[in-house]
Amino acid sequence: MATAATSPQRPSGPSPEGPLARFREYLGRNNLRLTPERRAVLEVILSREGHFDAEELLRFLRRRRRVSRATLYRTLDHLREAGLVKVHRFGRGQALYEHVYGRQHHDHMVCNRCGGVTEFVNEEIERLQEEVCRRVGFHSTSHVMEIYGVCRSCSEQEAASASSDLHRGEPRPR
Amino acid sequence: MATAATSPQRPSGPSPEGPLARFREYLGRNNLRLTPERRAVLEVILSREGHFDAEELLRFLRRRRRVSRATLYRTLDHLREAGLVKVHRFGRGQALYEHVYGRQHHDHMVCNRCGGVTEFVNEEIERLQEEVCRRVGFHSTSHVMEIYGVCRSCSEQEAASASSDLHRGEPRPR
DNA sequence: GTGGATGCAAAGACTTTGCAGCATC
DNA sequence: GATGCTGCAAAGTCTTTGCATCCAC
């Protein structure tokens, strides 16, 4: 997990040795302080895999230390600025977070049925994106790509229930 | 404008002759009615270029017919389902809409400084996306790709003000 | 010791919903 | 004329903010 990755979209500054060092560096650079609350938020986020919302984070957080909602949101914003977490707003609904330290950049496929999120990586797409930016003089700092649709297991399930519905006149369950 | 495009991600059903026909078809299919309000929303959306939020839409809408916020949101949702508008949630903030009828699919570059949105098209990226989906059995219905960063004019401006700030000790204006 | 941080509660932004009357199919 | 639609206002959801107190540097 805590691999010393050399991510290409590291925001700025010299290369620290870990996520905490990186956070410290960001805080110092901006005249901010490392409090127990901020530390706890970072640790809990690093311990989580995949995507989580603020509420979920708060639940896990409180097992180790009480942190207010306000502080959580404030800290998440700092972590985002520090390049340690990434924010997504898949479809409607609330923001989802994921930590990106020591993780390769990846994109997402979101299933409209079950809400499941699958990650994928495609170097060629990444390369083409950079090329597009270069062409128009756009200085890219990050990007998101989300493919929406129906995942394999949901479409198999749908196919099964559709065939058993053949005697009824329903085109789509909704 | 009202080109009879053959978009690949048309949701379903036979090909209508225009956006209104397409909306009618969608409404009929779902046992819904074409009211003056819904018609007005569609027309105003088609007349707008680029990205707009609900509030902006409401302002333009009211020049021609009073439509309540509630009806606007409800109609936007129908239009999205009908494949006539697309919803974006760039960064934080509210939803932005754009109409997609007769428009080629495109992706976006969003400037973090000025908030400007630039569209671009890259067939190769599209093709690769489809390939990724096919490989994992994901049935894609739509996708978004957003590149965040600093647009050319903003970075030129920043470079200019940075060089005039050389005598001061500020690394970044914020 | 001081400027930044915290928690609380209240405000905020945006969107959705219940309901009574209205209008399309 | 029945079923779906509208506007209003209220509720909801998620997130941000003002302020008094607290604490990391």
Side-chain angles (χ1 to χ4, degrees):
Chain A
M1 189 56 321
T3 345
T6 315
S7 151
Q9 47 265 85
R10 171 155 301 163
S12 70
S15 194
E17 288 127 29
L20 183 56
R22 172 122 142 226
F23 195 30
R24 272 213 162 94
E25 191 220 327
Y26 162 83
L27 292 172
R29 214 183 328 126
N30 293 280
N31 244 357
L32 303 175
R33 291 165 187 177
L34 182 60
T35 62
E37 289 83 3
R38 288 181 177 166
R39 202 171 187 137
V41 171
L42 175 59
E43 282 171 12
V44 168
I45 284 178
L46 290 173
S47 76
R48 310 250 68 208
E49 282 309 316
H51 308 83
F52 35 80
D53 61 21
E55 220 52 39
E56 189 181 336
L57 221 42
L58 217 52
R59 274 200 309 280
F60 278 86
L61 208 43
R62 286 180 172 168
R63 293 183 186 174
R64 104 166 37 190
R65 161 179 270 276
R66 180 143 210 300
V67 172
S68 74
R69 219 172 294 271
T71 296
L72 173 59
Y73 279 112
R74 287 188 277 233
T75 304
L76 281 169
D77 208 45
H78 286 308
L79 290 169
R80 183 186 54 72
E81 286 243 326
L84 286 162
V85 312
K86 198 158 186 177
V87 189
H88 297 279
R89 288 170 189 273
F90 300 127
R92 50 193 57 193
Q94 81 284 54
L96 292 184
Y97 304 85
E98 67 177 331
H99 76 87
V100 294
Y101 188 84
R103 297 210 59 203
Q104 185 180 21
H105 170 82
H106 55 266
D107 296 310
H108 299 98
M109 289 184 282
V110 185
C111 178
N112 290 329
R113 296 291 184 277
C114 66
V117 178
T118 312
E119 302 179 354
F120 71 91
V121 178
N122 189 303
E123 299 294 351
E124 186 62 8
I125 291 181
E126 303 293 316
R127 203 186 55 70
L128 286 166
Q129 286 173 356
E130 280 171 30
E131 192 182 307
V132 167
C133 289
R134 200 166 36 241
R135 212 178 298 156
V136 300
F138 189 90
H139 182 252
S140 148
T141 53
S142 74
H143 68 263
V144 300
M145 189 180 118
E146 290 145 18
I147 304 183
Y148 294 89
V150 184
C151 71
R152 166 173 272 159
S153 70
C154 280
S155 58
E156 279 169 359
Q157 229 170 292
E158 247 166 57
S161 79
S163 68
S164 74
D165 276 354
L166 272 183
H167 54 293
R168 306 167 67 204
E170 298 192 334
R172 40 184 64 184
R174 252 204 84 81
Chain B
M1 182 68 309
T3 344
T6 315
S7 149
Q9 43 267 89
R10 171 154 300 163
S12 70
S15 195
E17 290 126 29
L20 183 56
R22 171 119 142 227
F23 195 31
R24 273 214 162 95
E25 191 220 325
Y26 161 83
L27 292 171
R29 212 181 333 123
N30 293 279
N31 244 359
L32 304 174
R33 290 166 189 177
L34 182 60
T35 62
E37 289 82 4
R38 288 181 177 165
R39 203 169 187 139
V41 172
L42 175 59
E43 282 170 12
V44 168
I45 284 177
L46 289 173
S47 76
R48 310 252 67 208
E49 280 309 316
H51 307 84
F52 35 81
D53 61 20
E55 219 52 38
E56 190 181 337
L57 221 42
L58 218 51
R59 274 200 309 279
F60 278 86
L61 208 44
R62 286 180 173 169
R63 293 183 187 174
R64 103 166 38 189
R65 161 178 270 277
R66 177 136 213 306
V67 172
S68 73
R69 221 172 292 272
T71 296
L72 173 59
Y73 280 113
R74 286 187 277 233
T75 304
L76 280 169
D77 208 47
H78 287 309
L79 289 169
R80 184 186 53 73
E81 286 243 327
L84 286 162
V85 313
K86 198 158 186 176
V87 189
H88 297 278
R89 288 171 190 271
F90 300 126
R92 49 194 58 195
Q94 82 284 52
L96 292 185
Y97 304 85
E98 67 177 331
H99 75 86
V100 295
Y101 188 85
R103 297 208 59 203
Q104 184 180 23
H105 170 83
H106 55 266
D107 296 310
H108 299 98
M109 289 185 281
V110 185
C111 177
N112 291 330
R113 296 291 183 276
C114 66
V117 178
T118 312
E119 303 179 353
F120 71 91
V121 178
N122 189 303
E123 299 294 350
E124 186 63 8
I125 291 180
E126 304 293 315
R127 203 187 54 71
L128 286 166
Q129 286 173 357
E130 280 171 30
E131 190 182 308
V132 167
C133 290
R134 202 167 33 243
R135 211 179 297 156
V136 299
F138 190 89
H139 181 252
S140 150
T141 53
S142 74
H143 67 264
V144 301
M145 191 179 116
E146 290 144 17
I147 304 183
Y148 294 89
V150 184
C151 71
R152 167 174 271 162
S153 70
C154 280
S155 57
E156 279 168 0
Q157 228 169 290
E158 247 166 57
S161 77
S163 69
S164 74
D165 275 354
L166 273 184
H167 54 294
R168 305 167 68 206
E170 298 194 332
R172 40 183 65 183
R174 254 202 85 83

